Amino acid sequence: MLLVLRMNRIRLLPEQVANQIAAGEVVERPASVVKELVENALDAKATRITVEIQAGGRSLIRVTDDGIGMNRDDALLCLERHATSKIQRAEDLASIATMGFRGEALPSIASVSRFTLTTRERDSDSPEGTQVIVNGGRIVEVKAAGCAPGTVLDVRQIFFNLPARRKFLRSEETESAHIQHYLTLAALAYPEVAFTFIKDGRVIWQLPGARIENDEARPGSLHERLRALIGGDVKLLQVDYTTELPAVANPENEEETHPSPLRIWGFIGAPGVARSTREDQFTFVNRRPVENRGINFALLEGYHTALMKGRYPVCCLFLEVDPAEVDVNIHPAKREVKFHRERAVREAVAQAVRK
């Protein structure tokens, strides 16, 4: 009698492969690496962030911050998949207040690059920090290193171990433009943080951080930063509009949702100021740069006849709303968001612009 050994068809993927697959979701291109690392720096309460790239981010991406930093244990733990300081339980996903939160970014980036993390805790008495060197997802060396408080992340030769992915990268200029676009968004969302952007050894910008003592100072510092980034000759109008999202019956659990406050503030181009693309249209929800078709339509509705056909407004608008009103989990890169009361938000944005 022959014993037939059946192999299981379903097998657990090795950690390395799982990380590389997750990297496909998190790391589309060098700009996604910059985004994840800058978001972590902002979550770490950095007041200065420097981003340095070479060859459009293919050969080097270095992000340096003066945030709270990490001790040796945290530095090793942050490279484990699903290790995060941002959320603790599933319920936290319903109202996300931090930028990064899935705990996949660092292990994913480290699995497709030659990665060095150097960090030292801001409140530590020791002058020594920790350096972790990772090569394609494998930790090569962990050692003590002298460094300033904060964190430096070096990402070299992205996709060196995935030639198929490397082949899909666009030209250096295109990849640099994507990085610069993301950094513009981050710099607008956080005018109190000083940003330096260095490309191929040349300083592209050096934006000082504004002192924001209270909410009244915020529009002024945003206006300064907008002028620095899109030019001082663009005529801008200030927007500040507060409303309530109306209560709606929720058919799923028979409960009515409560009215929820919504504030829309920022700047829009004066009538006649327009662009042929949406490149100078910046929208944020709770300071997270987002794409939402409803908001795009609402802008056009608000301008109505003040815009020529086929032209797009210049704007930098911030929507402040209860985090539970927004779903940021619908896109792996957290770019697109969905509002639970989509129509009410759209109407409010159109009304704010119209006014």
Side-chain angles (χ1 to χ4, degrees):
M1 184 176 153
L2 274 173
L3 269 175
V4 182
L5 283 172
R6 265 191 71 228
M7 283 290 283
N8 282 346
R9 263 199 232 115
I10 297 175
R11 289 192 286 282
L12 265 176
L13 284 174
E15 183 74 7
Q16 187 103 8
V17 180
N19 276 338
Q20 288 188 350
I21 292 171
E25 294 276 294
V26 178
V27 186
E28 293 169 68
R29 54 182 351 142
S32 345
V33 173
V34 172
K35 174 181 183 294
E36 297 292 346
L37 300 184
V38 169
E39 284 184 354
N40 279 347
L42 290 167
D43 283 338
K45 309 279 185 282
T47 61
R48 283 197 310 278
I49 297 175
T50 302
V51 176
E52 202 177 324
I53 63 165
Q54 281 171 16
R58 288 159 182 253
S59 61
L60 170 73
I61 294 167
R62 178 181 295 131
V63 177
T64 308
D65 72 59
D66 64 346
I68 52 179
M70 289 179 276
N71 61 25
R72 186 188 163 102
D73 291 349
D74 281 346
L76 287 166
L77 191 59
C78 77
L79 293 164
E80 296 286 338
R81 195 132 169 247
H82 304 314
T84 177
S85 61
K86 321 291 173 67
I87 59 172
Q88 280 159 8
R89 23 181 235 283
E91 293 85 272
D92 295 347
L93 284 171
S95 53
I96 299 283
T98 53
M99 303 294 273
F101 56 84
R102 295 213 171 98
E104 279 191 334
L106 291 182
S108 299
I109 294 165
S111 73
V112 293
S113 66
R114 302 187 194 280
F115 180 93
T116 307
L117 160 70
T118 313
T119 185
R120 178 179 143 206
E121 275 190 300
R122 197 192 275 169
D123 306 330
S124 155
D125 302 328
S126 160
E128 272 191 348
T130 304
Q131 188 170 67
V132 185
I133 299 169
V134 186
N135 204 336
R138 279 202 301 278
I139 294 183
V140 181
E141 194 179 357
V142 182
K143 59 183 180 185
C147 62
T151 303
V152 182
L153 288 150
D154 254 42
V155 179
R156 292 176 187 271
Q157 296 174 308
I158 186 172
F159 301 138
F160 79 95
N161 50 355
L162 291 174
R165 292 290 303 283
R166 205 175 164 83
K167 208 167 63 199
F168 278 105
L169 291 177
R170 299 273 180 264
S171 70
E172 285 181 19
E173 271 315 300
T174 303
E175 296 300 344
S176 295
H178 279 281
I179 291 170
Q180 189 159 342
H181 175 71
Y182 168 71
L183 286 175
T184 303
L185 291 166
L188 288 170
Y190 290 84
E192 68 274 27
V193 177
F195 277 89
T196 304
F197 177 38
I198 302 166
K199 174 179 154 186
D200 297 321
R202 220 175 80 242
V203 176
I204 305 293
W205 324 307
Q206 209 159 7
L207 304 168
R211 285 191 58 173
I212 301 178
E213 308 278 330
N214 51 32
D215 266 3
E216 279 71 65
R218 212 166 260 293
S221 51
L222 172 64
H223 192 250
E224 275 305 295
R225 194 150 273 193
L226 263 172
R227 285 165 58 99
L229 290 168
I230 67 169
D233 53 347
V234 179
K235 192 167 186 303
L236 298 169
L237 306 174
Q238 192 173 340
V239 176
D240 199 345
Y241 180 79
T242 309
T243 184
E244 273 206 335
L245 297 176
V248 283
N250 186 347
E252 283 172 37
N253 55 11
E254 305 298 322
E255 256 182 51
E256 230 187 69
T257 56
H258 299 292
S260 181
L262 167 68
R263 181 179 172 216
I264 301 165
W265 68 277
F267 293 90
I268 58 172
V273 176
R275 299 283 189 263
S276 55
T277 66
R278 286 205 174 94
E279 68 178 352
D280 283 345
Q281 199 169 296
F282 309 111
T283 50
F284 302 84
V285 174
N286 297 341
R287 288 174 104 178
R288 181 193 295 283
V290 297
E291 285 169 25
N292 175 275
R293 285 177 60 187
I295 294 178
N296 291 343
F297 283 128
L299 283 166
L300 299 176
E301 281 170 21
Y303 271 88
H304 195 45
T305 52
L307 267 186
M308 281 167 60
K309 201 167 170 55
R311 305 284 285 174
Y312 297 98
V314 170
C315 78
C316 180
L317 282 184
F318 288 81
L319 278 69
E320 288 175 9
V321 63
D322 176 358
E325 287 290 326
V326 197
D327 187 356
V328 294
N329 285 302
I330 60 170
H331 188 285
K334 308 190 282 276
R335 260 201 309 267
E336 289 168 38
V337 295
K338 220 172 147 175
F339 296 100
H340 297 305
R341 306 182 220 193
E342 196 84 40
R343 261 193 67 182
V345 171
R346 180 174 162 174
E347 282 164 17
V349 172
Q351 186 59 16
V353 172
R354 209 173 288 133
K355 282 211 161 155

